[in-house]
Amino acid sequence: MDFKRSDFPEGFLFSAATSSYQIEGHGFGGAGQTHWDTFAATPGNVVRAEHGQLACDHYHRFEEDLDLARDMGLDAYRFSTSWARVMPEGRGPVNAEGLDFYDRLVDAMLERGLKPQATLYHWELPVALADMGGWRNPDISHWFADFATVVMERIGDRVFSVAPINEPWCVGWLSHFEGHHAPGLRDIRATAHAMHHVLTSHGRAIQAMRALGVKNLGAVCNFEYAAPADTTPAAAKAAQLYDGIYNRFFLGGIFNGAYPDDVMEGLAPHMPSGWENDFELIGQPLDWVGLNYYTRKLIGANEGPWPGYDYVDGPLPKTQMGWEIYPDGLHHFLTWVDQTYTKGLPLYVTENGMSNADLIGRDDVERIDYLNQHIAAAQRAIGDGVPLAGYTFWSLLDNYEWSLGYEKRFGLVHVDFETLERRPKASYHALARALGR
Ligand code: IFM
């Protein structure tokens, strides 16, 4: 790597992330069915109809996986807790085995000197809640706060940090407007409701955790740099709207007590009643904000109904996902979020990494290069005064890449999905050398 640990401020945290449904294996330990199980079982939604019943079998192999995280020289490990594992029906009875699993997982991190960075929800909604409308139902904020309470009463004394919901844009827009993720809806009313309820749920969970005395509470949002596909005013407006929906909606709700005007031009007629009165709940004070960043998108205008934009193929080098590699976007978002919203709160890069094809025996140079470029962008942001406190690599392991199944490989560690053998890649070894103490 082009950097070493000592290039970063004292106490800067390096970590790697995973999420429950993507690695654990939801066929084990009394976990309830999730909407990803039913989404994946519906033909056409997921490549080869792959699902998370076994995944990386982390449920049984977590000790080995945490050894890998420790041996890489990481300071922390970002993980998530599955709602359906802890509360199989989403409400009411707790699955003791599921809660025990997270208890043991947190202790196993601490034994290895890894700070536990928890996320409560990384997309595996219990089907019983999906049956009641899932994120469209205003009651979900109460169900979610109850889940947060159950989990944090057990592990809240030992986690380093907690974020309620990973990537609100994916939960709201990608899943209810574009239909690419469970529940696979393409409906503007469902989208408006889900985007708002993700934030009321975030706020109510923060309230519940503060009441329990849990420390270091934040929010994790994803960001994509939106560039106009051509020089027309229409393309500039389309890119601006894309930016509003993706990058300004959620932080606007949390930090400004308002949603962006350009986004509300389309969503206002479809919002749940009384939404204007929820900003006090949504805007609970936070201790930090996490940014997940991977790519930029070129956006062109179309003549269709709102939002009237299209994705346009871009000219930059791309990852296995077909995502353009654009490290300047990370520098842009770190400085912009600090100046516009968080104003001095600690920021973390909570996800960054690339998928690279499974070519055993290759040296993984593309991933090393990708990480070098993005880490350099983060260093520039620190030099510009951004209070960046940590950097998390996505992902520790190759895993279930949602509707793209198991073939997109984001891991620093290769997983053979036949044998489940783990093999550290060249990028893992390069990072271990850079992080060595
Ligand atoms: O795998 C996902 C993860 O679940 C959320 N952030 C983006 C990653 C890569 O697509």
Side-chain angles (χ1 to χ4, degrees):
M1 306 295 310
D2 294 344
F3 80 99
K4 52 191 180 320
R5 180 183 280 282
S6 55
D7 298 338
F8 283 80
E10 186 68 28
F12 192 88
L13 295 184
F14 287 97
S15 72
T18 60
S19 90
S20 50
Y21 193 80
Q22 292 180 276
I23 64 164
E24 285 174 5
H26 263 64
F28 309 118
Q33 259 213 326
T34 82
H35 69 170
W36 267 97
D37 299 310
T38 55
F39 184 74
T42 311
N45 284 341
V46 176
V47 172
R48 290 180 294 274
E50 287 170 346
H51 50 70
Q53 289 298 293
L54 175 61
C56 303
D57 193 21
H58 176 75
Y59 187 75
H60 297 110
R61 297 165 193 251
F62 69 91
E63 303 260 5
E64 176 188 352
D65 294 337
L66 293 178
D67 284 350
L68 285 163
R70 177 201 56 205
D71 294 346
M72 205 177 126
L74 298 175
D75 309 295
Y77 175 69
R78 180 170 176 251
F79 70 109
S80 73
T81 53
S82 162
W83 195 340
R85 182 179 296 293
V86 172
M87 298 169 93
E89 296 296 314
R91 298 181 301 167
V94 170
N95 171 31
E97 196 178 335
L99 208 45
D100 284 351
F101 171 69
Y102 294 115
D103 199 7
R104 284 184 287 132
L105 189 67
V106 165
D107 280 346
M109 288 176 218
L110 294 174
E111 280 160 19
R112 290 163 176 79
L114 297 165
K115 294 184 183 350
Q117 299 173 303
T119 302
L120 281 163
Y121 181 77
H122 198 126
W123 310 350
E124 53 288 292
L125 192 73
V127 286
L129 302 185
D131 290 346
M132 291 189 291
W135 292 101
R136 289 175 289 152
N137 188 323
D139 291 341
I140 196 163
S141 71
H142 295 282
W143 308 334
F144 187 60
D146 289 346
F147 164 58
T149 302
V150 166
V151 173
M152 288 302 146
E153 275 177 345
R154 188 65 175 271
I155 62 172
D157 57 335
R158 280 158 293 148
V159 289
F160 169 75
S161 63
V162 191
I165 295 167
N166 187 62
E167 300 183 350
W169 179 85
C170 292
V171 179
W173 190 265
L174 189 66
S175 308
H176 296 83
F177 195 86
E178 299 194 6
H180 294 313
H181 277 194
L185 296 180
R186 300 200 60 229
D187 182 274
I188 196 167
R189 180 175 162 83
T191 304
H193 285 227
M195 287 179 61
H196 185 64
H197 296 148
V198 164
L199 286 178
T200 53
S201 301
H202 157 87
R204 216 175 282 289
I206 294 282
Q207 257 182 352
M209 291 191 285
R210 286 252 187 258
L212 287 177
V214 183
K215 302 281 188 310
N216 209 11
L217 307 179
V220 170
C221 294
N222 51 333
F223 298 85
E224 270 189 13
Y225 191 87
D230 56 53
T231 54
T232 60
K237 192 168 172 226
Q240 179 69 7
L241 177 56
Y242 186 85
D243 177 70
I245 294 167
Y246 210 116
N247 305 315
R248 287 183 275 115
F249 184 87
F250 301 99
L251 289 185
I254 294 173
F255 287 96
N256 293 349
Y259 295 139
D261 291 342
D262 49 0
V263 181
M264 293 321 284
E265 262 176 42
L267 290 191
H270 309 288
M271 293 294 281
S273 60
W275 63 273
E276 302 93 335
N277 306 323
D278 287 334
F279 287 108
E280 198 181 322
L281 174 64
I282 290 171
Q284 299 297 307
L286 297 178
D287 303 307
W288 56 273
V289 164
L291 293 84
N292 294 358
Y293 177 78
Y294 292 89
T295 188
R296 75 162 189 176
K297 288 275 168 24
L298 289 193
I299 306 295
N302 73 31
E303 308 265 288
W306 191 92
Y309 60 61
D310 291 316
Y311 297 107
V312 175
D313 191 37
L316 301 178
K318 299 192 176 75
T319 70
Q320 190 195 15
M321 295 288 277
W323 293 348
E324 284 193 304
I325 299 174
Y326 187 63
D328 284 350
L330 180 58
H331 176 267
H332 161 78
F333 284 119
L334 288 170
T335 50
W336 174 76
V337 166
D338 178 45
Q339 284 162 16
T340 314
Y341 298 106
T342 53
K343 302 186 173 129
L345 275 187
L347 297 182
Y348 291 82
V349 174
T350 32
E351 284 183 27
N352 176 247
M354 74 175 276
S355 61
N356 202 6
D358 180 18
L359 298 169
I360 298 296
R362 272 198 24 194
D363 44 15
D364 208 19
V365 273
E366 297 86 353
R367 192 183 326 266
I368 292 172
D369 189 43
Y370 179 100
L371 291 174
N372 270 329
Q373 292 188 55
H374 286 81
I375 289 166
Q379 284 178 295
R380 276 195 287 125
I382 295 173
D384 293 341
V386 173
L388 186 66
Y391 200 107
T392 303
F393 307 111
W394 183 270
S395 177
L396 179 66
L397 304 172
D398 288 338
N399 59 46
Y400 181 63
E401 181 53 25
W402 306 109
S403 52
L404 300 174
Y406 289 96
E407 82 186 14
K408 305 293 185 208
R409 291 181 174 270
F410 277 91
L412 299 167
V413 175
H414 179 270
V415 177
D416 179 326
F417 291 107
E418 298 294 316
T419 63
L420 295 173
E421 186 193 349
R422 277 80 162 135
R423 267 187 294 176
K425 302 180 187 177
S427 47
Y428 171 102
H429 293 299
L431 283 169
R433 281 192 296 274
L435 297 176
R437 274 172 249 260

